[in-house]
Amino acid sequence: MSSEFTLTEKNDQEYILSSPNNDSPKVIADRQASRELELISVIYVKCNNSNYRIPVLRGFFESKISGVEYLEFFIYEFSNNKYLPIKSISSVKVTSDESSKDHSLDLSSQNISYKICKQINGKSEFDNKIMLLNE
């Protein structure tokens, strides 16, 4: 499923996320202190009669006291065979010896589509602006 989108390394800090449609803009994905990013899934969601394709990137980073799994959901509206990047939503899972914090958007959750629709149509502290690649 994730072959629909591609992720390529641009430099030490950034990756380029490309949709399968060459007419659609390419998006810059920041590494966010991770060693590397990987494209792990593409979610198909329909919200309020609009179709969305949501590639999900994952990265890991560690400090002396905790480990972090970082997910970024890139929201693309899909209409007339075009992919329009709208925003991204971040989610982190932190684990340490003392405590842990789960993802705000859990891929394995049964209601992930519902949660994503709420996030697409709303605003939260986890929203990020899309950075387009200027070629």
PDB file of all heavy atoms in Angstrom, residues 89-116:
ATOM      1  N   ILE A  89       0.160  15.965  10.858  1.00  0.00           N
ATOM      2  CA  ILE A  89      -0.171  15.840  12.272  1.00  0.00           C
ATOM      3  C   ILE A  89       0.884  14.942  12.909  1.00  0.00           C
ATOM      4  O   ILE A  89       1.151  13.854  12.410  1.00  0.00           O
ATOM      5  CB  ILE A  89      -1.570  15.209  12.457  1.00  0.00           C
ATOM      6  CG1 ILE A  89      -2.635  16.054  11.747  1.00  0.00           C
ATOM      7  CG2 ILE A  89      -1.895  15.060  13.934  1.00  0.00           C
ATOM      8  CD1 ILE A  89      -3.973  15.365  11.596  1.00  0.00           C
ATOM      9  N   SER A  90       1.493  15.416  13.995  1.00  0.00           N
ATOM     10  CA  SER A  90       2.522  14.616  14.657  1.00  0.00           C
ATOM     11  C   SER A  90       1.942  13.895  15.856  1.00  0.00           C
ATOM     12  O   SER A  90       0.989  14.340  16.468  1.00  0.00           O
ATOM     13  CB  SER A  90       3.679  15.445  15.188  1.00  0.00           C
ATOM     14  OG  SER A  90       3.748  16.698  14.728  1.00  0.00           O
ATOM     15  N   SER A  91       2.593  12.786  16.152  1.00  0.00           N
ATOM     16  CA  SER A  91       2.227  12.001  17.321  1.00  0.00           C
ATOM     17  C   SER A  91       3.506  11.379  17.866  1.00  0.00           C
ATOM     18  O   SER A  91       4.327  10.885  17.096  1.00  0.00           O
ATOM     19  CB  SER A  91       1.234  10.906  16.916  1.00  0.00           C
ATOM     20  OG  SER A  91       0.898  10.099  18.016  1.00  0.00           O
ATOM     21  N   VAL A  92       3.689  11.437  19.173  1.00  0.00           N
ATOM     22  CA  VAL A  92       4.886  10.851  19.774  1.00  0.00           C
ATOM     23  C   VAL A  92       4.499   9.866  20.871  1.00  0.00           C
ATOM     24  O   VAL A  92       3.494  10.037  21.554  1.00  0.00           O
ATOM     25  CB  VAL A  92       5.859  11.913  20.355  1.00  0.00           C
ATOM     26  CG1 VAL A  92       6.452  12.763  19.273  1.00  0.00           C
ATOM     27  CG2 VAL A  92       5.186  12.760  21.395  1.00  0.00           C
ATOM     28  N   LYS A  93       5.307   8.842  20.977  1.00  0.00           N
ATOM     29  CA  LYS A  93       5.177   7.871  22.054  1.00  0.00           C
ATOM     30  C   LYS A  93       6.491   7.896  22.812  1.00  0.00           C
ATOM     31  O   LYS A  93       7.550   7.643  22.237  1.00  0.00           O
ATOM     32  CB  LYS A  93       4.915   6.476  21.493  1.00  0.00           C
ATOM     33  CG  LYS A  93       4.824   5.405  22.551  1.00  0.00           C
ATOM     34  CD  LYS A  93       4.591   4.049  21.904  1.00  0.00           C
ATOM     35  CE  LYS A  93       4.508   2.963  22.944  1.00  0.00           C
ATOM     36  NZ  LYS A  93       4.253   1.650  22.314  1.00  0.00           N
ATOM     37  N   VAL A  94       6.436   8.226  24.081  1.00  0.00           N
ATOM     38  CA  VAL A  94       7.637   8.361  24.898  1.00  0.00           C
ATOM     39  C   VAL A  94       7.658   7.227  25.917  1.00  0.00           C
ATOM     40  O   VAL A  94       6.653   6.965  26.568  1.00  0.00           O
ATOM     41  CB  VAL A  94       7.664   9.720  25.643  1.00  0.00           C
ATOM     42  CG1 VAL A  94       8.911   9.858  26.483  1.00  0.00           C
ATOM     43  CG2 VAL A  94       7.544  10.869  24.656  1.00  0.00           C
ATOM     44  N   THR A  95       8.809   6.579  26.031  1.00  0.00           N
ATOM     45  CA  THR A  95       8.970   5.537  27.052  1.00  0.00           C
ATOM     46  C   THR A  95      10.217   5.823  27.861  1.00  0.00           C
ATOM     47  O   THR A  95      11.254   6.156  27.307  1.00  0.00           O
ATOM     48  CB  THR A  95       9.118   4.148  26.425  1.00  0.00           C
ATOM     49  OG1 THR A  95       9.164   4.212  25.029  1.00  0.00           O
ATOM     50  CG2 THR A  95       8.037   3.220  26.830  1.00  0.00           C
ATOM     51  N   SER A  96      10.073   5.714  29.157  1.00  0.00           N
ATOM     52  CA  SER A  96      11.228   5.870  30.043  1.00  0.00           C
ATOM     53  C   SER A  96      11.067   4.884  31.195  1.00  0.00           C
ATOM     54  O   SER A  96      10.051   4.193  31.297  1.00  0.00           O
ATOM     55  CB  SER A  96      11.333   7.301  30.574  1.00  0.00           C
ATOM     56  OG  SER A  96      10.312   7.556  31.503  1.00  0.00           O
ATOM     57  N   ASP A  97      12.060   4.839  32.066  1.00  0.00           N
ATOM     58  CA  ASP A  97      11.975   3.942  33.223  1.00  0.00           C
ATOM     59  C   ASP A  97      10.837   4.324  34.164  1.00  0.00           C
ATOM     60  O   ASP A  97      10.223   3.468  34.786  1.00  0.00           O
ATOM     61  CB  ASP A  97      13.297   3.947  34.000  1.00  0.00           C
ATOM     62  CG  ASP A  97      14.415   3.302  33.203  1.00  0.00           C
ATOM     63  OD1 ASP A  97      14.107   2.530  32.271  1.00  0.00           O
ATOM     64  OD2 ASP A  97      15.586   3.567  33.506  1.00  0.00           O
ATOM     65  N   GLU A  98      10.561   5.621  34.278  1.00  0.00           N
ATOM     66  CA  GLU A  98       9.546   6.090  35.218  1.00  0.00           C
ATOM     67  C   GLU A  98       8.126   6.062  34.660  1.00  0.00           C
ATOM     68  O   GLU A  98       7.175   5.811  35.370  1.00  0.00           O
ATOM     69  CB  GLU A  98       9.851   7.525  35.688  1.00  0.00           C
ATOM     70  CG  GLU A  98      11.066   7.638  36.582  1.00  0.00           C
ATOM     71  CD  GLU A  98      12.341   7.854  35.789  1.00  0.00           C
ATOM     72  OE1 GLU A  98      12.296   8.609  34.817  1.00  0.00           O
ATOM     73  OE2 GLU A  98      13.356   7.259  36.139  1.00  0.00           O
ATOM     74  N   SER A  99       7.959   6.404  33.382  1.00  0.00           N
ATOM     75  CA  SER A  99       6.599   6.515  32.849  1.00  0.00           C
ATOM     76  C   SER A  99       6.620   6.351  31.338  1.00  0.00           C
ATOM     77  O   SER A  99       7.664   6.241  30.720  1.00  0.00           O
ATOM     78  CB  SER A  99       6.008   7.877  33.213  1.00  0.00           C
ATOM     79  OG  SER A  99       6.729   8.894  32.562  1.00  0.00           O
ATOM     80  N   SER A 100       5.424   6.379  30.763  1.00  0.00           N
ATOM     81  CA  SER A 100       5.325   6.357  29.310  1.00  0.00           C
ATOM     82  C   SER A 100       4.103   7.159  28.879  1.00  0.00           C
ATOM     83  O   SER A 100       3.166   7.364  29.645  1.00  0.00           O
ATOM     84  CB  SER A 100       5.246   4.924  28.787  1.00  0.00           C
ATOM     85  OG  SER A 100       4.060   4.327  29.209  1.00  0.00           O
ATOM     86  N   LYS A 101       4.162   7.621  27.641  1.00  0.00           N
ATOM     87  CA  LYS A 101       3.060   8.390  27.055  1.00  0.00           C
ATOM     88  C   LYS A 101       2.771   7.774  25.700  1.00  0.00           C
ATOM     89  O   LYS A 101       3.680   7.629  24.880  1.00  0.00           O
ATOM     90  CB  LYS A 101       3.468   9.858  26.906  1.00  0.00           C
ATOM     91  CG  LYS A 101       2.463  10.715  26.175  1.00  0.00           C
ATOM     92  CD  LYS A 101       3.058  12.085  25.870  1.00  0.00           C
ATOM     93  CE  LYS A 101       2.223  12.914  24.952  1.00  0.00           C
ATOM     94  NZ  LYS A 101       2.201  12.498  23.579  1.00  0.00           N
ATOM     95  N   ASP A 102       1.530   7.373  25.450  1.00  0.00           N
ATOM     96  CA  ASP A 102       1.177   6.744  24.190  1.00  0.00           C
ATOM     97  C   ASP A 102       0.907   7.769  23.101  1.00  0.00           C
ATOM     98  O   ASP A 102       0.716   8.948  23.374  1.00  0.00           O
ATOM     99  CB  ASP A 102      -0.063   5.854  24.369  1.00  0.00           C
ATOM    100  CG  ASP A 102       0.268   4.566  25.096  1.00  0.00           C
ATOM    101  OD1 ASP A 102       1.405   4.081  24.973  1.00  0.00           O
ATOM    102  OD2 ASP A 102      -0.621   4.050  25.792  1.00  0.00           O
ATOM    103  N   HIS A 103       0.856   7.278  21.868  1.00  0.00           N
ATOM    104  CA  HIS A 103       0.553   8.135  20.721  1.00  0.00           C
ATOM    105  C   HIS A 103      -0.829   8.764  20.856  1.00  0.00           C
ATOM    106  O   HIS A 103      -1.767   8.123  21.323  1.00  0.00           O
ATOM    107  CB  HIS A 103       0.581   7.319  19.423  1.00  0.00           C
ATOM    108  CG  HIS A 103       1.936   7.025  18.916  1.00  0.00           C
ATOM    109  ND1 HIS A 103       2.767   7.995  18.420  1.00  0.00           N
ATOM    110  CD2 HIS A 103       2.633   5.867  18.824  1.00  0.00           C
ATOM    111  CE1 HIS A 103       3.901   7.455  18.033  1.00  0.00           C
ATOM    112  NE2 HIS A 103       3.852   6.159  18.284  1.00  0.00           N
ATOM    113  N   SER A 104      -0.952  10.012  20.419  1.00  0.00           N
ATOM    114  CA  SER A 104      -2.270  10.641  20.363  1.00  0.00           C
ATOM    115  C   SER A 104      -3.076  10.052  19.205  1.00  0.00           C
ATOM    116  O   SER A 104      -4.296   9.987  19.258  1.00  0.00           O
ATOM    117  CB  SER A 104      -2.144  12.158  20.214  1.00  0.00           C
ATOM    118  OG  SER A 104      -1.352  12.485  19.099  1.00  0.00           O
ATOM    119  N   LEU A 105      -2.403   9.633  18.146  1.00  0.00           N
ATOM    120  CA  LEU A 105      -3.033   8.909  17.037  1.00  0.00           C
ATOM    121  C   LEU A 105      -2.347   7.552  16.942  1.00  0.00           C
ATOM    122  O   LEU A 105      -1.192   7.461  16.556  1.00  0.00           O
ATOM    123  CB  LEU A 105      -2.868   9.667  15.715  1.00  0.00           C
ATOM    124  CG  LEU A 105      -3.684  10.922  15.544  1.00  0.00           C
ATOM    125  CD1 LEU A 105      -3.286  11.645  14.259  1.00  0.00           C
ATOM    126  CD2 LEU A 105      -5.164  10.596  15.512  1.00  0.00           C
ATOM    127  N   ASP A 106      -3.059   6.513  17.304  1.00  0.00           N
ATOM    128  CA  ASP A 106      -2.499   5.165  17.323  1.00  0.00           C
ATOM    129  C   ASP A 106      -2.937   4.422  16.065  1.00  0.00           C
ATOM    130  O   ASP A 106      -4.135   4.219  15.849  1.00  0.00           O
ATOM    131  CB  ASP A 106      -2.974   4.448  18.583  1.00  0.00           C
ATOM    132  CG  ASP A 106      -2.372   3.072  18.741  1.00  0.00           C
ATOM    133  OD1 ASP A 106      -1.597   2.630  17.865  1.00  0.00           O
ATOM    134  OD2 ASP A 106      -2.678   2.427  19.761  1.00  0.00           O
ATOM    135  N   LEU A 107      -1.976   4.008  15.243  1.00  0.00           N
ATOM    136  CA  LEU A 107      -2.287   3.310  14.000  1.00  0.00           C
ATOM    137  C   LEU A 107      -3.080   2.026  14.211  1.00  0.00           C
ATOM    138  O   LEU A 107      -3.852   1.622  13.357  1.00  0.00           O
ATOM    139  CB  LEU A 107      -0.996   2.965  13.249  1.00  0.00           C
ATOM    140  CG  LEU A 107      -0.395   4.074  12.415  1.00  0.00           C
ATOM    141  CD1 LEU A 107       0.955   3.651  11.866  1.00  0.00           C
ATOM    142  CD2 LEU A 107      -1.314   4.456  11.281  1.00  0.00           C
ATOM    143  N   SER A 108      -2.874   1.368  15.330  1.00  0.00           N
ATOM    144  CA  SER A 108      -3.547   0.089  15.563  1.00  0.00           C
ATOM    145  C   SER A 108      -4.961   0.273  16.140  1.00  0.00           C
ATOM    146  O   SER A 108      -5.687  -0.700  16.311  1.00  0.00           O
ATOM    147  CB  SER A 108      -2.711  -0.783  16.498  1.00  0.00           C
ATOM    148  OG  SER A 108      -2.560  -0.147  17.740  1.00  0.00           O
ATOM    149  N   SER A 109      -5.344   1.498  16.411  1.00  0.00           N
ATOM    150  CA  SER A 109      -6.663   1.768  16.995  1.00  0.00           C
ATOM    151  C   SER A 109      -7.779   1.479  15.985  1.00  0.00           C
ATOM    152  O   SER A 109      -7.652   1.759  14.797  1.00  0.00           O
ATOM    153  CB  SER A 109      -6.724   3.237  17.425  1.00  0.00           C
ATOM    154  OG  SER A 109      -8.035   3.577  17.779  1.00  0.00           O
ATOM    155  N   GLN A 110      -8.882   0.943  16.497  1.00  0.00           N
ATOM    156  CA  GLN A 110     -10.044   0.663  15.644  1.00  0.00           C
ATOM    157  C   GLN A 110     -10.686   1.944  15.119  1.00  0.00           C
ATOM    158  O   GLN A 110     -11.302   1.939  14.060  1.00  0.00           O
ATOM    159  CB  GLN A 110     -11.091  -0.136  16.439  1.00  0.00           C
ATOM    160  CG  GLN A 110     -10.658  -1.537  16.766  1.00  0.00           C
ATOM    161  CD  GLN A 110     -10.638  -2.430  15.541  1.00  0.00           C
ATOM    162  OE1 GLN A 110     -11.293  -2.157  14.545  1.00  0.00           O
ATOM    163  NE2 GLN A 110      -9.872  -3.503  15.609  1.00  0.00           N
ATOM    164  N   ASN A 111     -10.553   3.042  15.854  1.00  0.00           N
ATOM    165  CA  ASN A 111     -11.209   4.291  15.443  1.00  0.00           C
ATOM    166  C   ASN A 111     -10.211   5.311  14.892  1.00  0.00           C
ATOM    167  O   ASN A 111     -10.438   6.512  15.000  1.00  0.00           O
ATOM    168  CB  ASN A 111     -12.043   4.861  16.587  1.00  0.00           C
ATOM    169  CG  ASN A 111     -11.216   5.230  17.803  1.00  0.00           C
ATOM    170  OD1 ASN A 111     -10.012   4.992  17.827  1.00  0.00           O
ATOM    171  ND2 ASN A 111     -11.854   5.815  18.798  1.00  0.00           N
ATOM    172  N   ILE A 112      -9.140   4.851  14.262  1.00  0.00           N
ATOM    173  CA  ILE A 112      -8.135   5.775  13.720  1.00  0.00           C
ATOM    174  C   ILE A 112      -8.753   6.696  12.658  1.00  0.00           C
ATOM    175  O   ILE A 112      -8.455   7.882  12.620  1.00  0.00           O
ATOM    176  CB  ILE A 112      -6.893   5.027  13.161  1.00  0.00           C
ATOM    177  CG1 ILE A 112      -5.800   6.005  12.737  1.00  0.00           C
ATOM    178  CG2 ILE A 112      -7.238   4.102  12.020  1.00  0.00           C
ATOM    179  CD1 ILE A 112      -5.093   6.701  13.847  1.00  0.00           C
ATOM    180  N   SER A 113      -9.648   6.190  11.819  1.00  0.00           N
ATOM    181  CA  SER A 113     -10.282   7.026  10.777  1.00  0.00           C
ATOM    182  C   SER A 113     -11.080   8.154  11.405  1.00  0.00           C
ATOM    183  O   SER A 113     -11.003   9.306  10.971  1.00  0.00           O
ATOM    184  CB  SER A 113     -11.198   6.189   9.883  1.00  0.00           C
ATOM    185  OG  SER A 113     -10.448   5.251   9.173  1.00  0.00           O
ATOM    186  N   TYR A 114     -11.839   7.842  12.452  1.00  0.00           N
ATOM    187  CA  TYR A 114     -12.630   8.860  13.148  1.00  0.00           C
ATOM    188  C   TYR A 114     -11.716   9.925  13.764  1.00  0.00           C
ATOM    189  O   TYR A 114     -11.966  11.128  13.623  1.00  0.00           O
ATOM    190  CB  TYR A 114     -13.488   8.192  14.233  1.00  0.00           C
ATOM    191  CG  TYR A 114     -14.181   9.171  15.143  1.00  0.00           C
ATOM    192  CD1 TYR A 114     -15.302   9.872  14.710  1.00  0.00           C
ATOM    193  CD2 TYR A 114     -13.709   9.399  16.431  1.00  0.00           C
ATOM    194  CE1 TYR A 114     -15.940  10.779  15.538  1.00  0.00           C
ATOM    195  CE2 TYR A 114     -14.342  10.309  17.267  1.00  0.00           C
ATOM    196  CZ  TYR A 114     -15.453  10.991  16.816  1.00  0.00           C
ATOM    197  OH  TYR A 114     -16.069  11.899  17.637  1.00  0.00           O
ATOM    198  N   LYS A 115     -10.644   9.501  14.421  1.00  0.00           N
ATOM    199  CA  LYS A 115      -9.723  10.449  15.052  1.00  0.00           C
ATOM    200  C   LYS A 115      -9.044  11.328  14.009  1.00  0.00           C
ATOM    201  O   LYS A 115      -8.867  12.527  14.222  1.00  0.00           O
ATOM    202  CB  LYS A 115      -8.679   9.699  15.875  1.00  0.00           C
ATOM    203  CG  LYS A 115      -9.230   9.143  17.164  1.00  0.00           C
ATOM    204  CD  LYS A 115      -8.139   8.484  17.980  1.00  0.00           C
ATOM    205  CE  LYS A 115      -8.653   8.055  19.326  1.00  0.00           C
ATOM    206  NZ  LYS A 115      -7.604   7.511  20.185  1.00  0.00           N
ATOM    207  N   ILE A 116      -8.658  10.739  12.882  1.00  0.00           N
ATOM    208  CA  ILE A 116      -8.010  11.527  11.826  1.00  0.00           C
ATOM    209  C   ILE A 116      -8.990  12.537  11.250  1.00  0.00           C
ATOM    210  O   ILE A 116      -8.628  13.691  11.022  1.00  0.00           O
ATOM    211  CB  ILE A 116      -7.405  10.614  10.748  1.00  0.00           C
ATOM    212  CG1 ILE A 116      -6.144   9.956  11.309  1.00  0.00           C
ATOM    213  CG2 ILE A 116      -7.088  11.399   9.482  1.00  0.00           C
ATOM    214  CD1 ILE A 116      -5.472   8.978  10.385  1.00  0.00           C
TER     215      ILE A 116
END
